[in-house]
Amino acid sequence: MLKQQPKTPIVCADVDGTILATDLLYESLLFVIKRKPGILFLLPFWLLRGRSYLKEMLAKRSSSLAVDLLPLNENAVDYLRQASSDGQRVVLASASHRSLVEKVAHRLGFVSEVIATDGSVNMKGAAKAKAIQDYLGGAAWEYVGDSRADMAVWREASSVVCVTSSAAFARTVQSAYPGAEILSKPAFTLPVLLKALRVHQWLKNLLLFAPIVLAHQWFNPEAVKATVLAAISFSLCASGVYLMNDLLDLEADRQHPRKRKRPCAAGRMPLSFAMGLTPVLFVAAFAIAAATNMNFLLVLSIYLLLTSLYSFRLKALALVDIILLAVLYTMRIIAGGVAANIHLSQWLLALSMFLFLSLACVKRFSELLVLQQRNESRTWGRGYSVGDIEQVAQFGSASAYISVLVLALYVSSKEIVELYAKPEVVYLCCPLLLYWVSRIWLLARRGLVHDDPLVFALRDKVTYVVAAITIVMFFAAK
């Protein structure tokens, strides 16, 4: 049992990673980039003038950052709240800019004073320790921190409290400062990383295999190899896009009943790590694409351009967003055909466009339905209002039935005769598709479809049954 530390009259606490489960520097950086991407070109020049100057420039441009939505480390907040109740003075001592730290102090309500970076000195490590000592004079003080940078501050403090998810770091702190108190916080683990990468969404990239399957090229080793490489490339690129979306949508996600649990929004994944991993994923994706063929590299480049435009601007435009989502799904099929050098049927592209437009409408409809059930009127960074819900449903239902019509016309075309000995068997897929799209819209109306239709499909036994019967139909027709 470690010796209990004596209580001091003053408790100084770090903010980033200690009170907040995030970092104000990266929060303000992402907030500014989302609104003015051109700021990226100014960042190196600001950084050359020092981190304190960089923080000041970002703070000036992020005055409307929703600090009240930032995730907290609840154990640390409860500890400080109890300290305040016990009569201790709570002081925030942070390397973040003063204007943002003061908002955190106002949010907490029990903070007495703030010591923070003000544009001239970056209050981190030894600089923070000196600033605290100068501010408090000879008074004894306790310091609550979370990182190795805080070791320099703990050396000067009368007592030590460490907020960490690492057992190894906790042992290091307790070895250096016997009697140090440890407060736990959620760890960044492999399952959290996989959730952030949306690995389950990689199943969307099975669409790249549609061209070789429908063209009966699944025994062509070169075509299969190219498609596998293309699918890996698309999966890495898609994960990079998901991370980029999460980083740019932090404020909107934190107001959403389900998206607030995403790793970046919830503070489970360090923003610095996500920002560093995103370009790595893109570089890996494009390296594999270049090894596949140059035409596929071009398609992947267009996909990334469109999805980047979607992330920065177009997702906020009503109708443009759902049409672009349908285009991005269809591009996966185009990418599969280009990778394997297979000519794509106009029927396949038309079918996919209308079907995916319908599923994009299901996604928006489900989000609007959640708002309606919560008696809210505004959306989270979207161009819709709750009053649009019926119109979105009509768009989606119409697109669903048009996709069935396109499939029926395809079965009646000359192309089907060249590929299948019994094309009339393929026609039986029409009622299957009709049933599936009608059912998903019926369930969406009942509020039973997740706002991501893919998540719904992965958990839906009926979807697997319909898919299995469809595969059997195509093999029987061949």
Side-chain angles (χ1 to χ4, degrees):
M1 176 70 75
L2 291 170
K3 182 175 65 176
Q4 182 68 36
Q5 299 179 111
K7 292 292 183 182
T8 61
I10 303 171
V11 180
C12 296
D14 181 36
V15 173
D16 302 314
T18 301
I19 293 174
L20 296 179
T22 184
D23 190 301
L24 286 170
L25 172 61
Y26 296 108
E27 291 282 350
S28 58
L29 174 61
L30 292 167
F31 180 89
V32 171
I33 291 174
K34 168 79 181 227
R35 285 148 186 82
K36 294 183 179 180
I39 290 290
L40 280 169
F41 298 103
L42 295 176
L43 293 178
F45 300 100
W46 291 348
L47 190 56
L48 284 173
R49 297 184 61 176
R51 289 179 69 88
S52 59
Y53 184 80
L54 170 67
K55 292 175 181 179
E56 184 171 22
M57 292 298 100
L58 291 174
K60 286 180 178 179
R61 290 162 175 79
S62 57
S63 57
S64 57
L65 176 67
V67 172
D68 286 351
L69 296 176
L70 300 182
L72 301 172
N73 286 324
E74 295 296 343
N75 284 346
V77 173
D78 290 344
Y79 179 87
L80 293 172
R81 184 179 289 112
Q82 184 60 50
S84 177
S85 298
D86 292 342
Q88 292 176 281
R89 227 168 99 201
V90 177
V91 179
L92 298 189
S94 174
S96 289
H97 195 268
R98 172 176 288 276
S99 62
L100 297 175
V101 177
E102 287 175 344
K103 290 183 178 182
V104 176
H106 182 267
R107 174 185 178 182
L108 296 175
F110 51 76
V111 176
S112 302
E113 298 119 296
V114 165
I115 302 171
T117 297
D118 58 6
S120 57
V121 179
N122 186 40
M123 298 294 183
K124 188 172 183 178
K128 182 190 290 187
K130 184 177 185 306
I132 293 174
Q133 288 176 316
D134 291 345
Y135 185 81
L136 299 179
W141 49 281
E142 172 185 326
Y143 184 68
V144 184
D146 72 291
S147 68
R148 294 193 179 278
D150 292 315
M151 297 292 277
V153 189
W154 280 321
R155 278 197 294 269
E156 307 301 329
S158 300
S159 56
V160 171
V161 178
C162 176
V163 181
T164 184
S165 59
S166 168
F169 185 57
R171 287 193 296 270
T172 298
V173 172
Q174 289 177 328
S175 175
Y177 309 102
E181 186 166 354
I182 305 299
L183 301 178
S184 65
K185 64 179 180 180
F188 174 44
T189 59
L190 179 59
V192 173
L193 173 62
L194 295 179
K195 182 178 181 181
L197 295 179
R198 313 267 231 291
V199 173
H200 66 279
Q201 297 278 9
W202 290 0
L203 288 175
K204 292 178 181 177
N205 297 319
L206 290 175
L207 290 170
L208 277 82
F209 291 87
I212 63 171
V213 171
L214 295 176
H216 301 167
Q217 295 293 311
W218 52 76
F219 291 122
N220 181 336
E222 290 301 318
V224 172
K225 177 184 176 182
T227 305
V228 169
L229 287 175
I232 294 172
S233 176
F234 244 82
S235 296
L236 294 174
C237 185
S239 288
V241 169
Y242 292 135
L243 278 182
M244 182 173 67
N245 278 336
D246 287 354
L247 290 169
L248 295 174
D249 284 350
L250 290 172
E251 185 173 334
D253 286 352
R254 286 166 182 159
Q255 298 176 73
H256 193 282
R258 283 188 289 269
K259 294 179 181 179
R260 68 178 60 176
K261 298 177 182 178
R262 288 177 174 174
C264 288
R268 296 293 306 278
M269 182 177 191
L271 297 184
S272 57
F273 183 88
M275 292 171 70
L277 181 59
T278 300
V280 171
L281 291 169
F282 288 144
V283 169
F286 278 85
I288 296 172
T292 305
N293 65 57
M294 298 312 293
N295 288 331
F296 173 74
L297 178 63
L298 176 61
V299 173
L300 186 66
S301 300
I302 295 173
Y303 170 83
L304 181 58
L305 173 63
L306 291 177
T307 197
S308 297
L309 290 173
Y310 174 83
S311 298
F312 277 97
R313 288 288 181 266
L314 300 183
K315 70 188 330 181
L317 301 180
L319 302 183
V320 173
D321 63 330
I322 56 175
I323 292 173
L324 186 54
L325 282 175
V327 169
L328 293 174
Y329 273 107
T330 303
M331 283 195 69
R332 287 173 164 86
I333 295 176
I334 296 174
V338 169
N341 292 314
I342 293 174
H343 174 72
L344 295 172
S345 165
Q346 61 180 348
W347 297 108
L348 174 61
L349 296 179
L351 169 64
S352 64
M353 190 66 197
F354 284 110
L355 179 60
F356 295 134
L357 179 61
S358 178
L359 294 180
C361 287
V362 169
K363 182 178 178 68
R364 290 294 173 263
F365 175 87
S366 298
E367 292 173 348
L368 292 173
L369 186 61
V370 170
L371 284 174
Q372 188 179 69
Q373 293 170 343
R374 292 161 61 95
N375 294 318
E376 297 182 24
S377 58
R378 67 187 183 91
T379 55
W380 302 285
R382 307 295 181 186
Y384 301 90
S385 66
V386 172
D388 298 325
I389 190 169
E390 287 303 321
Q391 189 63 63
V392 171
Q394 290 177 29
F395 292 150
S397 299
S399 298
Y401 292 126
I402 291 175
S403 70
V404 179
L405 175 61
V406 171
L407 179 59
L409 293 173
Y410 167 64
V411 173
S412 304
S413 70
K414 294 180 180 179
E415 293 181 27
I416 198 78
V417 177
E418 297 174 0
L419 290 172
Y420 297 96
K422 299 178 180 179
E424 63 276 6
V425 177
V426 180
Y427 192 82
L428 297 176
C429 294
C430 292
L432 284 173
L433 180 60
L434 183 63
Y435 167 73
W436 189 81
V437 295
S438 298
R439 179 175 177 271
I440 195 171
W441 270 105
L442 182 63
L443 295 178
R445 286 280 191 175
R446 295 176 180 175
L448 300 177
V449 177
H450 192 280
D451 55 8
D452 188 334
L454 177 65
V455 174
F456 164 80
L458 290 174
R459 298 172 178 171
D460 181 46
K461 295 179 181 178
V462 173
T463 296
Y464 288 102
V465 172
V466 170
I469 295 175
T470 301
I471 292 171
V472 170
M473 293 291 185
F474 273 98
F475 273 101
K478 187 176 185 304

